[in-house]
Amino acid sequence: MSAVRGASRPGGLAPVIRRIGVVNSRLTALLLLLVLVFGVVLGNALFNGASIRSMAYQLPELGILSLAMMVPLLSGGLDLSIISTANLVALTVAFLFHALVPHQPGVLWIVMQLVAILAGLALACVIGLVNGLIIARLEVSPILTTLGAMTLVKGISIGLTHGNVVTGFPATMVFIGNGAIAGVPLVMLIFIAVAAVMSVILNHTSFGHLVTMVGSNEEATRYSGVHTKRTLVKVYIASSLLAGIGGLIMMARFNSANAAYGESYLLITILAAVLGGISPSGGFGKVTGLVIALVILQLISTAFNLMNFSQFLTLTIWGGTLIAVAGLGRIRERLRFLQRFN
Amino acid sequence: MRSGLRAFARTHEARLLAVTVLLFVFLSFATRNFFSIQNGLDLLTSYAFPGMLAAGLVVVIVAGGLDISFTAVASIAQFLAVSAIGRYDLGWAGLCGIAIGSGLLLGLLNAILVTWLRIASIIVTIAMLNVYYGLLMFLSHGNSINTLPGWYIDGLSWVIGADAHGNPYILNMQILGLGLSFLLTWLLLNRTTTGRQLRALGGNPEAAKRVGFSTLRLNMVAYGYMGFTAGLASIVEAQVAGSVVPNMLVGRELDVLAAVVLGGASLLGGIGSVSGTFIGLALLAMVHNGLILLGVSSFWIDCVTGFVFLTAVATIAWERRRQRAAIRRTIVAAA
């Protein structure tokens, strides 16, 4: 029906907006506006190979962690333990690197690195499983469960490392953190792959639909015969697993691991996800929206950096952007409401 | 009287109190220094800042909201106030006026945004945390203020006694501030009509709106009070720290939330009490202090705290679920 109406009014932006969704078109407009403004102000200083490459190196850390936050947000929850999980995974992998991987490159060298990484991700799944079981079975609110898990997991990391930084990884990690294939940073390729997989899972699998259904109305979903508890457990496992991958990326980028890396990212991931159109009360949101939001945040951060503004002003602008986008949405809503009654 | 006691025994606060008392008795016997007035006063002093914030946050949570930005609000309040008294001779009135006033203003701004934007308060206040904190760090260049006026460093304190060795017991600004904010919160929630309205708004926002309560006004009371408390707490914190460091306080918001929730406040709104919040705070403080006195390596304290917190919230949830099931059974039996 709507497709027909769209076709009967040729021209204009309406069909495009319908195709990519209201939120995404608004975000794209904002992105284009920023590109235009920063392009005029900074010109080649911002849009040259080196700057774009540095953005491509920086974005994936926050990007994968935001994906980890996105999945529980879609289900109407929240995961505050992602950063501490990322750090514990990085520390575990770092420890296993030291314990297992031989100094000489060879078959065993490769196999043992894989074993270490897989063990780290398995640990992430266990943390997610515990979170999920407490949330789904004991019906503790997600904020509280993951708040407790955050403290507990960080506590384990601090207890084991005494807060020290762990360094000295095999050359593979340095390559993952700083290498590029055909000019594209490897971390960026990993992020694109993870985002694509998540997009497919959330939009084209039954699990993805169940997540958004649980987020929209858990009760109704349960009455329609869905095992919502099992879905919730999977949501938190997915979140922790993504956090673990984020931890590996951070570890490769910093070439070290620590119990307290990236803590300022925690609230920023929520900001990025909500800016990307993921409803904080659950049910709605797309990976593409999140990716556009991440590009916007990164663009602001890099541009401000080039203009020699304090990195803290970037935080202000990030927060302000979210408030402004939400405010514009409200104003449009009011206008439409007024139009209907006039 | 007896039925009142029996009703109290079934509440969350009673169970929490029982656990806290058990821990208190255990620590008193297991460690040499726990059971002393001096340790008690030290604990109250060092937990005054998170405690005062918890007293403010419980009001917001009872009203069905959540505020994450209060650490940034407190940082701004103390930075403005201490900068001002460093330049002009304003005295206590100026110090308190500026700190509390700026805290209140930022709280009111939060309230307006939360009400008007109609998105989850946690999201709005996370965004505002970044706005406030970023602005403060930008404008202060991250520089701390290390020289406070003498009268402020000396603070206000009363000697209320002395131990056997003649070391005085001192009732300081921190303890007074903590007491004052819990008293104010108790008065607001339990002795005013507005307090009842806040609870109604948190319990069922739609019903409260239909009865005719103004959501904006109530939110302004709740978030404004949170900002007020943050301003008050920031004065007390800067005094005990002896300096103002702009990035010292941000990052502690979730610890405060933990204390409030441990005290039985429900993030769904409507449920939460002053006594519960205080006991929750006391329990966290005693776990922390007890572990140190027991000689547990300070590196493992986060781990134990997280475990205690998870156990507590799981128990609370389990209790609530049982209560709901009992209510459902009663309804079925009556029908």
Side-chain angles (χ1 to χ4, degrees), chain A residues 154-200:
Chain A
K154 186 188 172 193
I156 295 174
S157 299
I158 291 181
L160 292 176
T161 62
H162 289 199
N164 293 329
V165 174
V166 182
T167 54
F169 308 141
T172 343
M173 285 317 266
V174 180
F175 177 64
I176 292 177
N178 300 305
I181 294 176
V184 184
L186 203 58
V187 282
M188 194 64 199
L189 292 174
I190 296 176
F191 171 64
I192 292 172
V194 172
V197 169
M198 286 316 292
S199 184
V200 169

Side-chain angles (χ1 to χ4, degrees), chain B residues 80-104:
Chain B
L80 288 180
V82 172
S83 302
I85 56 166
R87 229 160 274 172
Y88 311 102
D89 189 20
L90 297 170
W92 283 107
L95 174 78
C96 294
I98 294 173
I100 293 174
S102 48
L104 186 66

Side-chain angles (χ1 to χ4, degrees), chain A residues 137 144 152 162 312 316 330, chain B residues 116 131 134-135 261 303 321:
Chain A
R137 297 282 164 184
L144 302 184
L152 179 62
H162 289 199
F312 294 106
T316 303
R330 275 291 290 160
Chain B
W116 183 65
V131 172
L135 273 180
V261 168
C303 186
R321 206 163 61 149

Side-chain angles (χ1 to χ4, degrees), chain B residues 29-271:
Chain B
F29 283 106
T31 67
R32 218 150 47 86
N33 296 323
F34 181 77
F35 187 75
S36 69
I37 295 178
Q38 194 55 53
N39 189 44
L41 290 175
D42 287 348
L43 262 185
L44 283 175
T45 306
S46 54
Y47 276 82
F49 178 68
M52 291 170 77
L53 292 173
L57 185 60
V58 70
V59 175
V60 178
I61 290 182
V62 161
L66 191 56
D67 191 345
I68 301 285
S69 69
F70 50 80
T71 48
V73 172
S75 300
I76 292 181
Q78 65 175 201
F79 193 84
L80 288 180
V82 172
S83 302
I85 56 166
R87 229 160 274 172
Y88 311 102
D89 189 20
L90 297 170
W92 283 107
L95 174 78
C96 294
I98 294 173
I100 293 174
S102 48
L104 186 66
L105 275 182
L106 296 178
L108 292 177
L109 179 60
N110 282 341
I112 293 171
L113 287 174
V114 165
T115 316
W116 183 65
L117 290 175
R118 293 201 197 163
I119 51 177
S121 48
I122 178 172
I123 306 295
V124 176
T125 52
I126 286 176
M128 291 317 283
L129 168 72
N130 284 289
V131 172
Y132 296 151
Y133 178 59
L135 273 180
L136 176 65
M137 291 299 282
F138 174 62
L139 296 176
S140 69
H141 303 287
N143 293 332
S144 38
I145 304 173
N146 294 318
T147 44
L148 306 185
W151 54 268
Y152 186 35
I153 294 274
D154 295 339
L156 302 171
S157 56
W158 287 268
V159 176
I160 51 167
D163 64 9
H165 307 288
N167 299 321
Y169 295 140
I170 293 170
L171 198 61
N172 52 22
M173 267 174 72
Q174 284 68 37
I175 299 175
L176 291 175
L178 185 64
L180 177 67
S181 17
F182 270 92
L183 177 70
L184 285 178
T185 306
W186 183 80
L187 286 173
L188 174 64
L189 284 182
N190 299 337
R191 283 291 175 272
T192 64
T193 324
T194 308
R196 303 296 296 175
Q197 293 178 350
L198 285 172
R199 208 173 276 276
L201 177 73
N204 191 337
E206 201 52 48
K209 242 177 271 173
R210 297 201 181 185
V211 174
F213 299 164
S214 155
T215 312
L216 178 64
R217 188 184 74 86
L218 289 177
N219 274 343
M220 284 176 97
V221 171
Y223 291 88
Y225 181 70
M226 172 83 252
F228 167 88
T229 328
L232 195 64
S234 76
I235 301 174
V236 160
E237 201 277 338
Q239 200 268 337
V240 77
S243 63
V244 171
V245 185
N247 61 356
M248 189 68 193
L249 308 176
V250 170
R252 290 168 70 181
E253 40 300 315
L254 296 178
D255 297 340
V256 176
L257 176 64
V260 176
V261 168
L262 198 57
S266 162
L267 291 181
L268 299 174
I271 303 176

